Amino acid sequence: VRIVIVHSTASAARAWHEAIAARLPEAVVAIWPQELDEPADYAIGWNPPAEFFERETRLKAFFSAGAGVEQIVGHASAPRSLPIIRLEDAGMARQMAEYCAYEVIGWCTSRRLYDEQQRLARWHEPRPRRPAEWPVGVFGLGFMGRQVATTLRALGYRVHAYARSPKPLDGMACYADHGGAGDFTAFLRATRVLIVLAPLTSETRDRFDETVLRQLQPGAYVINAARGGLIVDEALLALLESGHLSGATLDVFRTEPLPPDHPFWRHPKIRVTPHIAALTLAPEGADQVAEKIGRLEAGLPVTGVVERERGY
Amino acid sequence: VRIVIVHSTASAARAWHEAIAARLPEAVVAIWPQELDEPADYAIGWNPPAEFFERETRLKAFFSAGAGVEQIVGHASAPRSLPIIRLEDAGMARQMAEYCAYEVIGWCTSRRLYDEQQRLARWHEPRPRRPAEWPVGVFGLGFMGRQVATTLRALGYRVHAYARSPKPLDGMACYADHGGAGDFTAFLRATRVLIVLAPLTSETRDRFDETVLRQLQPGAYVINAARGGLIVDEALLALLESGHLSGATLDVFRTEPLPPDHPFWRHPKIRVTPHIAALTLAPEGADQVAEKIGRLEAGLPVTGVVERERGY
């Protein structure tokens, strides 16, 4: 088989090339725009340039090198019939759980306060905080949302979740779209720490506007590690300003890299990280891709195929 | 029964008074130095003044209001025959796991780097770090060490432990004193993140001197949430200076509050927190104390009685 890697960063492309070549020694692997002798059978990548699909017209499937697929589902030049296959975990759920645990603990136990006290050489013990005071709501229950929920629960937090369709979640309440708008409101009202982990689709774009964010508990925190487009920037800023929200941790943005003059960078209640919550680990990702190419070549079904109508 | 609360902070004493009175409505409860009509049967507290034991001569037991008991085991005025009873958990293990998880994640995933990048409005993605690169060694396997170990393991870290006597630890390696000095060396050599959680005893005082700390893996981090006396301050500073250690998080100190001119406060590689890793929660603690007083009054044995020879 012929495989082309088309990634936005050269180092990621090299890592994928090495990992795939090691797992499929009989395959011909190239990094775009390097030419293969014939059109590729499979592509692995991230938001290819328009001319990519003009040249690669015989692809049997496109493997997304990240968890989110909105850039390829909505790609102007990608044929609608091209199967898109998502990575399933590949080390990302663990990283995401770690990222969110750090941020939830950080906000809920006022850890940044101690950095401030240290600068002043000030010794002050606060009253103990209890995790029951900080109900966590996880929006989106894919492989990442699920691991984040169970991790925070193991740390002692009360956790509930919201998903497109109801999912069993080991004793945690799961609100769902199927319940209608009332369930979304109930989810928001039960939430003091919101963790956004859903894919960006036509249903989730701009979902967290001012009306919605206002329904979170007073003093709530927002953690967005999904896609910037789910939260309306101006709404977040307005509610931080009004005090209804106490803080936000943002790993994802409408424009990335976040432009240097964006108000998020210098906002005292916002923590910015550069889209690092869950990095794709090429070796783990390549394990999946290699196994799936093997199945596809053998005519067997594979998991992780994107449903275009729902957008993920 | 008559119960006296003798705590170093007035607010903690009030919290204990309220919690004990609610659970033992028939008991007479007072806050030292308030007088009871007769000597108290039980005391609950933390490092009482010398005159406390001169007045309270009929105590059947002293309940420590914290996890560490070195200040009461070594108390100059406390009778050697007085049973000392430790709290067993009371919400502290959960807090400690949360504290250590935050620090381990913080150091191992360079989270403070992002604070720095945010100050500069700088967008830079590092290479992914893997928890396998950060073997964690937990020194001390009481109820807190155990929960810290299992929490970090669930977050994906490789964890091993060192205890006075070997303890089964769900698949994690446990080094022990019984193995002789060689086992302590093996523990240190396997450790890149050291978490100190043992009680302060004659065996553990000054245990982490320069010779010992030097056996940790190059670039190691040290987290001390036990007692300041276990680590030699000057050794820690020297190895941070030499670069053998990369950083330290310290919640406990030889003198508390940490004096304003102590070098730890302003050290760029040291995080200082004011002994807040695991605060006693009076309601949970009072549940235990009330239950144990009930058993003692009925002539039944209780757990948590300190063995003076071993010091905890």
Side-chain angles (χ1 to χ4, degrees), chain A residues 102-121:
Chain A
Y102 187 82
E103 291 304 320
V104 171
I105 297 170
W107 288 120
C108 298
T109 64
S110 304
R111 292 302 297 267
R112 297 172 93 187
L113 179 68
Y114 301 117
D115 295 345
E116 191 57 37
Q117 290 187 187
Q118 183 170 354
R119 271 192 285 280
L120 306 169

Side-chain angles (χ1 to χ4, degrees), chain B residues 99-109 129-139 148 152 157-162 187-196 208 213 215-224 244-249:
Chain B
Y99 180 90
C100 292
Y102 187 82
E103 292 303 320
V104 170
I105 298 170
W107 288 120
C108 299
T109 65
R129 289 190 167 195
R130 290 164 181 274
E133 299 167 5
W134 301 93
V136 177
V138 178
F139 182 81
V148 167
L152 288 169
Y157 288 86
R158 276 166 48 206
V159 183
H160 54 276
Y162 187 87
F187 167 80
L188 295 166
R189 289 193 178 150
T191 299
R192 194 168 174 196
V193 182
L194 172 70
I195 303 182
V196 179
F208 293 91
L213 290 174
Q215 294 177 74
L216 295 169
Q217 294 186 359
Y221 293 97
V222 172
I223 298 170
N224 186 7
H244 185 73
L245 297 180
S246 295
T249 297

Side-chain angles (χ1 to χ4, degrees), chain A residues 75-262:
Chain A
H75 197 288
S77 311
R80 296 283 297 169
S81 57
L82 175 65
I84 300 164
I85 303 178
R86 288 186 297 144
L87 282 185
E88 296 168 287
D89 199 348
M92 284 182 281
R94 194 205 67 77
Q95 294 175 74
M96 186 58 86
E98 191 169 58
Y99 180 90
C100 292
Y102 187 82
E103 291 304 320
V104 171
I105 297 170
W107 288 120
C108 298
T109 64
S110 304
R111 292 302 297 267
R112 297 172 93 187
L113 179 68
Y114 301 117
D115 295 345
E116 191 57 37
Q117 290 187 187
Q118 183 170 354
R119 271 192 285 280
L120 306 169
R122 176 161 184 258
W123 183 278
H124 174 69
E125 298 170 39
R127 74 173 182 87
R129 289 189 167 196
R130 290 162 180 276
E133 298 167 5
W134 301 92
V136 177
V138 177
F139 182 81
L141 267 187
F143 64 84
M144 290 197 267
R146 190 169 290 273
Q147 188 152 339
V148 166
T150 53
T151 297
L152 288 168
R153 194 190 191 203
L155 284 168
Y157 288 85
R158 276 166 48 206
V159 183
H160 54 276
Y162 188 87
R164 195 163 172 275
S165 50
K167 294 180 185 175
L169 191 62
D170 191 21
M172 294 176 261
C174 182
Y175 302 88
D177 266 352
H178 286 209
D183 267 10
F184 188 49
T185 298
F187 167 79
L188 295 167
R189 289 195 178 148
T191 299
R192 194 169 174 195
V193 182
L194 172 69
I195 303 181
V196 178
L197 284 173
L200 181 62
T201 68
S202 57
E203 282 179 44
T204 62
R205 186 178 300 276
D206 300 327
R207 181 74 169 264
F208 292 91
D209 59 15
E210 197 164 331
T211 308
V212 163
L213 290 174
R214 206 188 290 282
Q215 293 176 75
L216 295 170
Q217 293 186 0
Y221 293 97
V222 172
I223 297 169
N224 186 6
R227 285 292 180 266
L230 275 79
I231 298 182
V232 177
D233 288 5
E234 297 71 23
L236 183 66
L237 289 168
L239 289 169
L240 286 167
E241 181 65 29
S242 78
H244 185 72
L245 297 180
S246 295
T249 297
L250 307 175
D251 188 52
V252 288
F253 306 91
R254 285 171 186 257
T255 305
E256 295 181 8
L258 185 64
D261 59 347
H262 196 287

Side-chain angles (χ1 to χ4, degrees), chain A residues 34-99:
Chain A
Q34 182 191 322
E35 299 269 354
L36 289 167
D37 53 342
E38 288 183 46
D41 303 297
Y42 299 99
I44 303 165
W46 181 256
N47 202 15
E51 59 272 29
F52 175 80
F53 291 107
E54 289 158 23
R55 196 202 295 172
E56 296 297 350
T57 54
R58 289 201 234 155
L59 292 174
K60 300 179 192 170
F62 186 98
F63 290 93
S64 173
V69 293
E70 78 286 352
Q71 83 295 342
I72 184 75
V73 169
H75 197 288
S77 311
R80 296 283 297 169
S81 57
L82 175 65
I84 300 164
I85 303 178
R86 288 186 297 144
L87 282 185
E88 296 168 287
D89 199 348
M92 284 182 281
R94 194 205 67 77
Q95 294 175 74
M96 186 58 86
E98 191 169 58
Y99 180 90

